[in-house]
Amino acid sequence: MAFSARRRQPATVRVASLDVQHSHRRSAVVLGPVTMPSLDELRSRFAAMAAVGPVARIGLQPSTARVRWRFTPHGLDDAVRAAAPAADDDPMVLLAALRGMPDGGIRVLAGRDHLAIDFSHGLGEIPLLDLLVAVLLGGVDPSEPALWRPYRHAVAPLPAAAVRAIGLRPRRLLPLWRHHRRTKPAATAAPAAGDLGVGPSPATRIARIAGAEADELRRLRDATRPGVSMFAVYTCALHTAFADNGFDVDPVVTLPFDVRRYLPVGWDTLASFSAGLDFTVDPAAGPGALHSDMGCAVRMARPVANLVASSVKARAARWARHGADWSVPPRPRMRLLHSSIGSVPRTAWSFNDPAEACVLVASDPAGPCGVTVTTATVPGALWMTAEFHESVFDAEQVCAAMDSVPERARELLSRTG
């Protein structure tokens, strides 16, 4: 069934201020092994998703300065390319080749049995990529109208979430106010004066926790810290691992929360809709305290309040360009952002060989001293991907820290008290 939207598409689309704010950052995903369609099939499916209209986010041209974005759903063949044979079998080589493609909103690179996608956060995040992968691999038909029903609304998602989470539950205002009063801007030690005089140098490092080892850690958690999320365990383990490997790690970590849980029933959005909340990691209290703090944030709808505040700030700042300040102190203080995309796959596609399944998610750090670690659970393992600037942090030290995460998690879970 054809979409009426295909008969008349807008030349420009007004987007949310948060889309503009997020468009300063990019992410790349590499996954496989999968059965790879032909290049013509990939391009045809990509174009079919773009033809749905701006609601599908494909064909939008992100801007870091304007809320009206051009919508160009035609001529997208250059966005989908085949990898050179040398990049076919190595996800990291495929990732490097992907980043060498001409810049754009979304870029797709197809290897022999691995798929790589680079995208602007202004367009969306994991839900968009999840749907795009399903379309490209033939698991979802973008011409089905029912597929897009949850994404078409007369009211923007953020106001709807704010009304439902806070407007209809005003009792949440008091704990939100108390939290705001209690948590002043993080008062961390001032960095030493000076400047390393370095510039951007994006680097990616990965670590794999085998499925058997991940299962063992989960059983240990069930025995010693029942109810505590493994995400909290891995966050604390990452923080400890980086500190033990010689980095000066800020006690405040940033954890993204999906705000879709606050939308009305039947609503969804493919745009970025996560709030990055700050939490203080207390080594003595461990993952139990962090899990409790995360639960409190959800109950008081702090992710919604954060996203509303971020939107207001973005408008007030007129989307001043991010990342211009590259002043790095002689001893940089690492700022950790830990994100999890959960279990993959979630939609109608599968890995050819679950034992060899791989998902790498490399997301730009927020600043020169940031390290973004994204975890993904696949049938045979848990993958961790760290993105940082190697002009600021030593890559070998980062690797050593990532490799030590399972042992740090085991130590945290084995503590008494």
Side-chain angles (χ1 to χ4, degrees), residues 22-228:
H22 287 306
S23 65
H24 293 273
R25 298 178 62 199
R26 303 190 67 85
S27 284
V29 176
V30 182
L31 58 91
V34 295
T35 301
M36 191 65 61
S38 69
L39 186 60
D40 286 343
E41 287 177 306
L42 290 172
R43 286 174 170 170
S44 174
R45 292 167 180 173
F46 190 77
M49 189 168 170
V52 170
V55 68
R57 312 293 288 181
I58 308 297
L60 285 174
Q61 301 301 315
S63 168
T64 59
R66 296 181 298 276
V67 293
R68 293 208 68 87
W69 289 2
R70 290 188 301 114
F71 179 59
T72 55
H74 307 295
L76 296 174
D77 281 359
D78 282 349
V80 182
R81 299 185 181 185
D88 273 352
D89 297 316
D90 187 333
M92 291 295 288
V93 175
L94 194 63
L95 177 62
L98 176 70
R99 288 172 167 163
M101 290 175 62
D103 197 8
I106 295 182
R107 298 174 292 180
V108 178
L109 195 59
R112 180 175 53 85
D113 59 7
H114 281 72
L115 187 68
I117 303 173
D118 173 276
F119 63 101
S120 165
H121 272 296
L123 293 175
E125 47 200 2
I126 293 303
L128 172 62
L129 267 292
D130 192 37
L131 181 56
L132 176 58
V133 170
V135 169
L136 291 174
L137 297 183
V140 171
D141 182 0
S143 69
E144 174 54 52
L147 178 66
W148 305 103
R149 200 164 293 135
Y151 307 108
R152 300 184 186 277
H153 323 291
V155 178
L158 184 53
V163 168
R164 185 169 180 266
I166 300 173
L168 299 180
R169 300 185 183 184
R171 64 182 181 276
R172 284 172 161 164
L173 288 171
L174 182 58
L176 281 170
W177 178 77
R178 286 173 173 166
H179 173 80
H180 177 72
R181 288 289 302 270
R182 188 170 60 252
T183 56
K184 303 292 184 184
T188 56
D195 185 353
L196 283 181
V198 298
S201 54
T204 306
R205 293 296 184 272
I206 59 175
R208 179 181 183 271
I209 301 178
E213 190 168 23
D215 290 343
E216 177 201 341
L217 290 171
R218 197 173 294 109
R219 287 192 294 269
L220 184 58
R221 182 277 314 270
D222 291 342
T224 64
R225 299 291 189 275
V228 173

